[in-house]
Amino acid sequence: MNKQERLTKTIAGEATDRAPVALWRHWPGDDQRAADLAQSTIEFQNLYDWDFVKVTPSSSFSVSDYGVQDVWEGNTEGTRRYIKRAVNRSLDWTELRPLDPLRGALGRQIECLRLINSGLDADVPVIQTIFSPLAQAKNIAGEDVLIRHLRTHPDRVHTGLNTLTESILRFIEAMKPLPLAGIFYAVQHASYDKLSEDEYTRFGLAYDRKILEALPGKWWFNMLHLHGNAPMFKLVSDLPVQSINWHDQETDPDLVQGKSMYNGAVCGGLSRWEHVHNGTPMVVREQVRAALAATNSRRFILSTGCVSMITSPLSNLRAVRESVENSGN
């Protein structure tokens, strides 16, 4: 069974030879240059043979051309710290303009995707990370400024979100000629410790739906990532994606509850900290067995709830990959 067959059957709830598995991580430093990010991504895939490749540029790739700046300071997660924002006053939201997807940082990411696809076997599904408009707005303004503005000057924030949505739609259009399987759509504010349901419905969900409904039909594997410790899982569970990934080991819902609220494949089962980073190969294998049993190996993709740490023991990563062998039903 090849990777696409394994994933499509998993999404449909059908039996497979084994559970699909994939981990992804940041590539600090390398993620500033198309060729280096492509090479690191290809080598990671060649080493572990994951069932799909999630391409992980730095979060600033979609907003740096607005004047945002960030630096790499050694964070274990591989993320960069923002040192300059493009929005400070509420009026700044109205001055944003859609970006050209073939120039600047977006253009470099298109080139990176071309290099990755040319460097991998044709049967390896590749999905590109896209941050939601609200997540991009947070990177442009900072969390506190964004939330203050959306509560005090909502019309201006909506103007900015419409601009960011247009940029994303243009980026998707530029990706259509590439042989991608889909996107990894990263949502960071559909969480009760960030916004209320009403706030997310107005400032997040409406834009999420517009983007996801515009994805080309040939993209058969689109994953929604819910970042945060109190995800609004039920609110977003009907979005048109084939899989949902969230921090299932740290927060509700758990995998079984998630499957009961969603018709596609749930993705998770492992804690990136407790199991993959701080654990041992034995701990990883035991947790994988528990996750497979809880889901009956149906509609389940094994992974962590978010990026793996860049310093996690390689023996644990190998254990993740090896643990799914002979897991079919």
Side-chain angles (χ1 to χ4, degrees):
M1 184 173 288
N2 66 33
K3 293 173 173 58
Q4 181 171 349
E5 291 170 338
R6 186 175 297 116
L7 284 165
T8 53
K9 286 182 177 295
T10 295
I11 292 164
E14 300 175 7
T16 59
D17 57 339
R18 62 168 177 79
V21 58
L23 295 178
W24 49 88
R25 50 161 288 179
H26 282 288
W27 300 99
D30 296 342
D31 56 16
Q32 302 303 290
R33 296 169 297 277
D36 288 337
L37 177 56
Q39 187 63 35
S40 294
T41 303
I42 291 167
E43 290 177 356
F44 190 60
Q45 173 61 19
N46 289 341
L47 184 60
Y48 295 102
D49 191 29
W50 307 117
D51 283 297
F52 63 91
V53 169
K54 185 269 198 191
V55 182
T56 309
S58 62
S59 64
S60 58
F61 90 96
S62 52
V63 296
S64 62
D65 289 322
Y66 288 116
V68 169
Q69 296 178 9
D70 58 350
V71 293
W72 161 241
E73 295 180 329
N75 184 283
T76 305
E77 194 177 67
T79 53
R80 300 166 64 86
R81 183 173 68 87
Y82 285 82
I83 59 173
K84 182 182 178 183
R85 307 288 185 174
V87 167
N88 297 290
R89 306 169 304 137
S90 61
L91 276 173
D92 293 339
W93 295 109
T94 68
E95 297 176 0
L96 300 176
R97 296 293 180 267
L99 299 173
D100 183 343
L102 300 179
R103 301 183 65 181
L106 293 179
R108 288 194 296 273
Q109 193 57 32
I110 295 292
E111 175 61 19
C112 177
L113 291 172
R114 290 195 186 99
L115 293 170
I116 288 171
N117 277 291
S118 65
L120 290 174
D121 291 340
D123 68 339
V124 179
V126 175
I127 61 176
Q128 162 67 30
T129 302
I130 290 183
F131 292 91
S132 75
L134 201 53
Q136 292 188 20
K138 181 262 292 184
N139 293 335
I140 286 174
E143 187 81 87
D144 293 343
V145 171
L146 168 63
I147 292 178
R148 182 169 70 249
H149 285 174
L150 70 82
R151 290 171 178 166
T152 58
H153 297 281
D155 290 346
R156 293 174 180 177
V157 174
H158 277 301
T159 298
L161 291 172
N162 277 312
T163 299
L164 296 172
T165 299
E166 179 60 27
S167 281
I168 292 170
L169 292 175
R170 293 183 184 188
F171 185 62
I172 289 170
E173 192 67 25
M175 290 194 296
K176 284 183 178 180
L178 300 171
L180 299 178
I183 65 169
F184 181 94
Y185 189 70
V187 167
Q188 299 179 342
H189 292 83
S191 180
Y192 293 105
D193 56 8
K194 299 287 187 182
L195 299 174
S196 68
E197 281 194 10
D198 179 65
E199 286 175 324
Y200 193 77
T201 298
R202 290 188 292 124
F203 293 95
L205 191 59
Y207 299 97
D208 298 335
R209 194 173 298 280
K210 183 175 182 179
I211 290 165
L212 294 173
E213 289 178 351
L215 299 180
K218 66 178 181 178
W219 289 359
W220 54 272
F221 182 47
N222 300 290
M223 182 177 289
L224 173 68
H225 171 65
L226 294 177
H227 194 78
N229 295 322
M232 300 176 187
F233 194 98
K234 188 174 183 180
L235 184 68
V236 303
S237 61
D238 67 340
L239 286 172
V241 293
Q242 287 72 46
S243 181
I244 299 181
N245 171 248
W246 75 103
H247 303 258
D248 67 280
Q249 295 299 298
E250 286 83 42
T251 185
D252 292 328
D254 61 23
L255 288 173
V256 175
Q257 293 168 332
K259 283 184 67 176
S260 71
M261 292 187 283
Y262 175 62
N263 292 326
V266 295
C267 178
L270 289 166
S271 166
R272 58 181 181 157
W273 286 107
E274 179 183 357
H275 304 133
V276 178
H277 192 68
N278 297 327
T280 64
M282 180 177 293
V283 167
V284 168
R285 287 191 288 269
E286 289 176 351
Q287 178 57 29
V288 172
R289 283 195 291 270
L292 292 172
T295 59
N296 195 29
S297 298
R298 297 293 180 97
R299 290 200 292 123
F300 172 62
I301 300 169
L302 178 66
S303 188
T304 49
C306 197
V307 292
S308 299
M309 301 300 106
I310 62 173
T311 54
S312 292
L314 300 186
S315 57
N316 287 350
L317 273 62
R318 289 193 294 270
V320 172
R321 176 61 185 85
E322 294 165 358
S323 64
V324 297
E325 297 300 334
N326 302 316
S327 66
N329 53 35

